[in-house]
């Protein structure tokens, strides 16, 4: 080294690129980070259309958002971002409502805001039928897959009839649990006649049937059929049939003479002497093939107990919540 200092300058093009990058970084820092939450199903042409702009910092006063055509990228609608906001979290403390309800054209669109730095994926604006017909069919398929009893649909997951012994089921006193462990054995209600609780749906994850969840599900299905069945779209998807299937079991679970409501079919967690539904992985129709008798650990897998708001001495009051759910279905 000879002590001299040689100066090396960046090429002009690189200097410009670095400068632009620093400017962009500065602008991004000032704007913060924003994202758009929207309805991924889409929006009905005639109904309200709302999305949420979530930002880490407040947007500038007078900022706007736009609706872009997904095919051409052209702006088809622009409106002001409202000055009022709420907080989503400590990270996204500024949430603004984007209202594009006035736009009533069919198509595929993208929401854009904050100088196009925040964009949604494409979504449709269309009719109710176009948006929901496929989803409603998927919902009906879910209920069909959960069917129990004789009237399963072989076309759905190759289902086969299951738990046919529920047609002549036995009533038991309510079980006792401690820390999710079944205590002792199950006790039959003396002189109680067999009850027919065949049919209905599984509880989506096991093969037990609960009146609490089934009644709520039937309520929602019937309400939807009453209020949102334009052009029979829910009926055509199969949801009216599924509502009737669930309702049929609810009818069976209420004994108006004895004023007893059957609450549950099957038992979830067992113990060392009783196998519960949650203790086995199997296809539901396999339960009917078990060769078991009283005293066998798997006895209650095939001959499922029914629990009610009653015991050997008297019937008990029904929870108002549960009574209301069941009554609403009728």
């Amino acid at each position: 080294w000879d002590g001299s200092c040689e100066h090396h300058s960046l090429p002009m093009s690189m200097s410009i690129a670095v400068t632009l990058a620093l400017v962009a970084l500065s602008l991004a820092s000032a704007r913060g980070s924003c994202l758009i939450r929207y309805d991924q199903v889409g929006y009905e042409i005639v109904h309200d259309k709302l999305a949420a702009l979530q930002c880490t910092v407040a947007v500038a006063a007078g900022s706007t958002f736009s609706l872009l055509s997904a095919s051409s990228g052209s702006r088809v609608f622009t409106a002001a971002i409202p000055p009022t906001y709420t907080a989503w979290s400590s990270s996204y403390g500024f949430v603004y409502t984007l209202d594009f309800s006035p736009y009533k054209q069919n198509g595929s669109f993208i929401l854009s805001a904050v100088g196009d730095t925040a964009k949604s994926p494409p979504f449709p604006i269309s009719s109710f039928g176009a948006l929901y017909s496929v989803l409603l069919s998927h919902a009906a398929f879910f209920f069909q897959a959960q069917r129990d009893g004789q009237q399963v649909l072989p076309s759905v997951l190759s289902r086969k009839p299951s738990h046919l012994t529920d047609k002549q089921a036995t009533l038991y006193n309510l079980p006792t649990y401690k820390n999710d462990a079944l205590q002792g054995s199950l006790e039959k209600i003396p002189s109680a006649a067999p009850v027919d609780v065949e049919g209905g749906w599984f509880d989506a994850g096991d093969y037990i049937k609960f009146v609490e969840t089934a009644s709520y599900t039937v309520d929602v299905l019937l309400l939807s059929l009453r209020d949102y069945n334009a052009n029979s779209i829910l009926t055509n998807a199969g949801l009216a049939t599924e509502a009737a299937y669930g309702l049929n079991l609810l009818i069976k679970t209420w004994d108006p003479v004895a004023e007893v409501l059957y609450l549950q079919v099957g038992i979830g967690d067992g113990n060392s002497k009783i196998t519960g539904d949650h203790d086995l992985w199997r296809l539901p129709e396999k339960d009917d093939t078990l060769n078991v008798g009283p005293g066998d650990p798997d006895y209650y897998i095939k001959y499922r107990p029914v629990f009610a708001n009653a015991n050997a001495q008297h019937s008990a009051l029904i929870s108002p919540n549960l009574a209301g759910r069941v009554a609403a279905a009728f």
Side-chain angles (χ1 to χ4, degrees), residues 147-163:
R147 281 193 182 193
D148 193 22
Q150 183 66 52
Q151 295 182 328
V152 298
L153 301 178
S155 61
V156 177
L157 301 179
S158 300
R159 288 295 317 282
K160 294 179 175 60
S162 57
H163 302 120

Side-chain angles (χ1 to χ4, degrees), residues 56-306:
T56 56
V57 298
V59 300
S63 295
T64 61
F65 73 95
S66 296
L67 190 66
L68 312 179
S69 166
S71 57
S72 68
S74 60
R75 300 180 191 275
V76 298
F77 177 84
T78 298
I81 297 174
T84 56
Y85 60 86
T86 58
W88 172 262
S89 65
S90 57
S91 298
Y92 290 95
F94 303 86
V95 181
Y96 305 87
T97 299
L98 307 182
D99 188 347
F100 52 107
S101 301
Y103 190 79
K104 301 183 185 299
Q105 298 297 318
N106 187 73
S108 179
F109 303 93
I110 295 170
L111 281 169
S112 175
V114 197
D116 291 339
T117 61
K119 286 186 175 181
S120 73
F123 59 84
I125 296 178
S126 192
S127 66
F128 178 84
L131 293 174
Y132 289 99
S133 57
V134 173
L135 293 178
L136 291 172
S137 296
H138 290 171
F141 182 88
F142 173 82
F143 288 112
Q144 293 161 358
Q146 303 302 323
R147 281 193 182 193
D148 193 22
Q150 183 66 52
Q151 295 182 328
V152 298
L153 301 178
S155 61
V156 177
L157 301 179
S158 300
R159 288 295 317 282
K160 294 179 175 60
S162 57
H163 302 120
L164 302 184
T165 55
D166 287 352
K167 197 169 184 65
Q168 288 281 315
T170 301
L171 281 172
Y172 287 78
N173 288 323
L174 294 174
T176 300
Y177 279 87
K178 183 177 181 180
N179 298 325
D180 294 329
L182 176 64
Q183 304 297 297
S185 59
L186 300 181
E187 299 176 358
K188 292 182 181 180
I189 296 180
S191 70
V195 296
D196 177 8
V197 288
E198 181 263 345
W201 301 300
F202 302 137
D203 194 51
D206 53 35
Y207 301 146
I208 305 173
K209 295 183 289 197
F210 292 101
V211 170
E212 181 180 20
T213 51
S215 59
Y216 177 79
T217 302
V218 170
D219 291 347
V220 173
L221 284 174
L222 293 176
L223 179 67
S224 300
L225 285 161
R226 187 192 71 183
D227 294 347
Y228 301 103
N229 200 23
N231 300 317
S232 299
I233 184 171
L234 277 76
T235 301
N236 294 338
L239 289 172
T241 301
E242 289 309 303
Y245 195 80
L247 183 60
N248 186 55
L249 178 64
L250 292 185
I251 293 172
K252 294 179 177 182
T253 60
W254 170 243
D255 182 343
V257 176
E259 296 186 338
V260 171
L261 180 66
Y262 310 138
L263 308 173
Q264 177 178 325
V265 181
I267 188 162
D269 296 328
N271 55 29
S272 60
K273 295 183 179 181
I274 295 176
T275 303
D277 184 275
H278 299 163
D279 299 324
L280 297 174
W281 286 100
R282 79 282 185 199
L283 292 172
E285 63 267 20
K286 294 299 181 182
D287 294 352
D288 296 75
T289 67
L290 293 173
N291 183 18
V292 292
D296 291 330
D298 293 349
Y299 179 79
Y300 296 108
I301 296 297
K302 181 174 183 178
Y303 301 100
R304 307 201 297 174
V306 178

